[in-house]
Short mmCIF file of all heavy atoms in Angstrom, two decimals:
data_model
loop_
_atom_site.label_atom_id
_atom_site.label_comp_id
_atom_site.label_asym_id
_atom_site.label_seq_id
_atom_site.Cartn_x
_atom_site.Cartn_y
_atom_site.Cartn_z
N PHE A 58 -123.62 -18.13 24.38
CA PHE A 58 -122.85 -18.49 23.23
C PHE A 58 -122.05 -19.74 23.57
O PHE A 58 -121.07 -20.04 22.84
CB PHE A 58 -121.85 -17.32 23.05
CG PHE A 58 -122.50 -16.10 22.42
CD1 PHE A 58 -122.86 -15.02 23.20
CD2 PHE A 58 -122.81 -16.05 21.07
CE1 PHE A 58 -123.47 -13.91 22.64
CE2 PHE A 58 -123.40 -14.99 20.56
CZ PHE A 58 -123.80 -13.88 21.36
N GLN A 61 -121.67 -22.30 20.53
CA GLN A 61 -120.64 -21.91 19.50
C GLN A 61 -119.24 -21.81 20.09
O GLN A 61 -118.21 -22.06 19.45
CB GLN A 61 -121.06 -20.70 18.71
CG GLN A 61 -122.37 -20.83 17.84
CD GLN A 61 -123.31 -19.80 18.28
OE1 GLN A 61 -123.61 -19.51 19.45
NE2 GLN A 61 -123.79 -19.02 17.35
N CYS A 62 -119.20 -21.25 21.31
CA CYS A 62 -117.81 -20.72 21.81
C CYS A 62 -117.39 -21.37 23.07
O CYS A 62 -116.56 -20.88 23.73
CB CYS A 62 -117.90 -19.25 21.94
SG CYS A 62 -118.28 -18.39 20.39
N TYR A 78 -113.82 -13.43 22.60
CA TYR A 78 -114.47 -12.26 21.83
C TYR A 78 -114.51 -12.51 20.30
O TYR A 78 -115.42 -12.27 19.68
CB TYR A 78 -113.74 -11.07 22.25
CG TYR A 78 -114.15 -10.36 23.52
CD1 TYR A 78 -114.43 -10.94 24.64
CD2 TYR A 78 -114.60 -8.93 23.51
CE1 TYR A 78 -114.81 -10.40 25.76
CE2 TYR A 78 -114.98 -8.31 24.66
CZ TYR A 78 -115.11 -9.03 25.80
OH TYR A 78 -115.60 -8.45 26.85
N GLU A 79 -113.41 -13.02 19.84
CA GLU A 79 -113.41 -13.24 18.44
C GLU A 79 -114.45 -14.33 18.00
O GLU A 79 -115.13 -14.08 16.92
CB GLU A 79 -111.98 -13.73 17.98
CG GLU A 79 -111.92 -13.80 16.39
CD GLU A 79 -110.50 -14.30 15.84
OE1 GLU A 79 -110.07 -15.31 16.45
OE2 GLU A 79 -110.01 -13.67 15.03
N CYS A 80 -114.53 -15.30 18.82
CA CYS A 80 -115.49 -16.37 18.51
C CYS A 80 -116.92 -15.76 18.56
O CYS A 80 -117.71 -16.01 17.53
CB CYS A 80 -115.44 -17.46 19.59
SG CYS A 80 -116.61 -18.78 19.26
N ILE A 81 -117.32 -14.97 19.52
CA ILE A 81 -118.62 -14.35 19.53
C ILE A 81 -118.85 -13.33 18.35
O ILE A 81 -119.95 -13.37 17.67
CB ILE A 81 -118.73 -13.60 20.83
CG1 ILE A 81 -118.91 -14.65 21.99
CG2 ILE A 81 -120.02 -12.75 20.87
CD1 ILE A 81 -118.89 -14.15 23.33
N PHE A 82 -117.72 -12.56 17.98
CA PHE A 82 -117.82 -11.78 16.87
C PHE A 82 -118.14 -12.53 15.59
O PHE A 82 -118.91 -12.17 14.75
CB PHE A 82 -116.57 -10.76 16.76
CG PHE A 82 -116.79 -9.59 17.48
CD1 PHE A 82 -117.10 -9.43 18.85
CD2 PHE A 82 -116.36 -8.29 16.77
CE1 PHE A 82 -117.22 -8.25 19.58
CE2 PHE A 82 -116.45 -7.16 17.56
CZ PHE A 82 -116.83 -7.11 18.83
N ASN A 83 -117.34 -13.65 15.46
CA ASN A 83 -117.56 -14.43 14.34
C ASN A 83 -118.99 -15.13 14.22
O ASN A 83 -119.54 -15.09 13.19
CB ASN A 83 -116.55 -15.68 14.41
CG ASN A 83 -115.20 -15.32 13.85
OD1 ASN A 83 -114.85 -14.20 13.53
ND2 ASN A 83 -114.24 -16.38 13.81
N ALA A 84 -119.45 -15.53 15.40
CA ALA A 84 -120.63 -16.30 15.37
C ALA A 84 -121.74 -15.31 15.10
O ALA A 84 -122.88 -15.78 14.52
CB ALA A 84 -120.88 -16.92 16.80
N THR A 85 -121.62 -14.03 15.31
CA THR A 85 -122.83 -13.10 15.04
C THR A 85 -122.54 -12.19 13.92
O THR A 85 -123.38 -11.48 13.60
CB THR A 85 -122.97 -12.22 16.42
OG1 THR A 85 -121.82 -11.75 16.73
CG2 THR A 85 -123.51 -13.11 17.59
N GLY A 86 -121.29 -12.19 13.27
CA GLY A 86 -121.19 -11.42 12.14
C GLY A 86 -121.08 -10.04 12.40
O GLY A 86 -121.69 -9.16 11.67
N ILE A 87 -120.36 -9.59 13.44
CA ILE A 87 -120.37 -8.15 13.81
C ILE A 87 -119.61 -7.31 12.75
O ILE A 87 -119.93 -6.23 12.43
CB ILE A 87 -119.64 -8.04 15.17
CG1 ILE A 87 -120.48 -8.77 16.28
CG2 ILE A 87 -119.60 -6.53 15.52
CD1 ILE A 87 -121.86 -8.33 16.32
N ARG A 89 -118.00 -6.87 9.27
CA ARG A 89 -117.98 -7.23 7.92
C ARG A 89 -117.02 -6.34 7.20
O ARG A 89 -117.25 -5.06 7.19
CB ARG A 89 -119.34 -7.17 7.12
CG ARG A 89 -120.37 -8.20 7.78
CD ARG A 89 -120.05 -9.50 7.07
NE ARG A 89 -120.42 -10.60 7.93
CZ ARG A 89 -121.76 -11.09 8.01
NH1 ARG A 89 -122.75 -10.43 7.40
NH2 ARG A 89 -122.00 -12.10 8.82
N ASN A 97 -126.58 -6.86 13.26
CA ASN A 97 -125.88 -7.96 13.84
C ASN A 97 -125.34 -7.64 15.23
O ASN A 97 -125.43 -8.49 16.12
CB ASN A 97 -124.65 -8.62 13.05
CG ASN A 97 -125.33 -9.17 11.69
OD1 ASN A 97 -126.50 -9.44 11.62
ND2 ASN A 97 -124.42 -9.54 10.82
N ASN A 100 -128.12 -7.47 17.70
CA ASN A 100 -128.59 -8.92 17.88
C ASN A 100 -127.66 -9.56 19.06
O ASN A 100 -128.10 -10.16 19.93
CB ASN A 100 -128.55 -9.67 16.69
CG ASN A 100 -129.19 -11.10 16.83
OD1 ASN A 100 -130.07 -11.37 17.63
ND2 ASN A 100 -128.61 -11.98 16.11
N MET A 101 -126.28 -9.37 18.84
CA MET A 101 -125.37 -9.86 19.75
C MET A 101 -125.61 -9.30 21.20
O MET A 101 -125.55 -9.96 22.19
CB MET A 101 -124.06 -9.61 19.30
CG MET A 101 -122.96 -10.07 20.30
SD MET A 101 -121.20 -9.47 20.01
CE MET A 101 -121.39 -7.76 20.34
N ARG A 104 -128.47 -10.64 22.93
CA ARG A 104 -128.12 -12.02 23.54
C ARG A 104 -127.23 -11.85 24.80
O ARG A 104 -127.49 -12.56 25.81
CB ARG A 104 -127.47 -12.84 22.54
CG ARG A 104 -128.44 -13.52 21.66
CD ARG A 104 -127.72 -14.26 20.46
NE ARG A 104 -127.03 -15.59 20.92
CZ ARG A 104 -126.37 -16.32 20.07
NH1 ARG A 104 -126.22 -16.05 18.81
NH2 ARG A 104 -125.91 -17.43 20.55
#
Side-chain angles (χ1 to χ4, degrees):
F58 290 98
Q61 292 124 309
C62 302
Y78 273 49
E79 188 184 46
C80 181
I81 292 173
F82 271 48
N83 278 2
T85 50
I87 300 302
R89 290 283 153 80
N97 291 350
N100 185 33
M101 173 192 72
R104 278 173 77 180

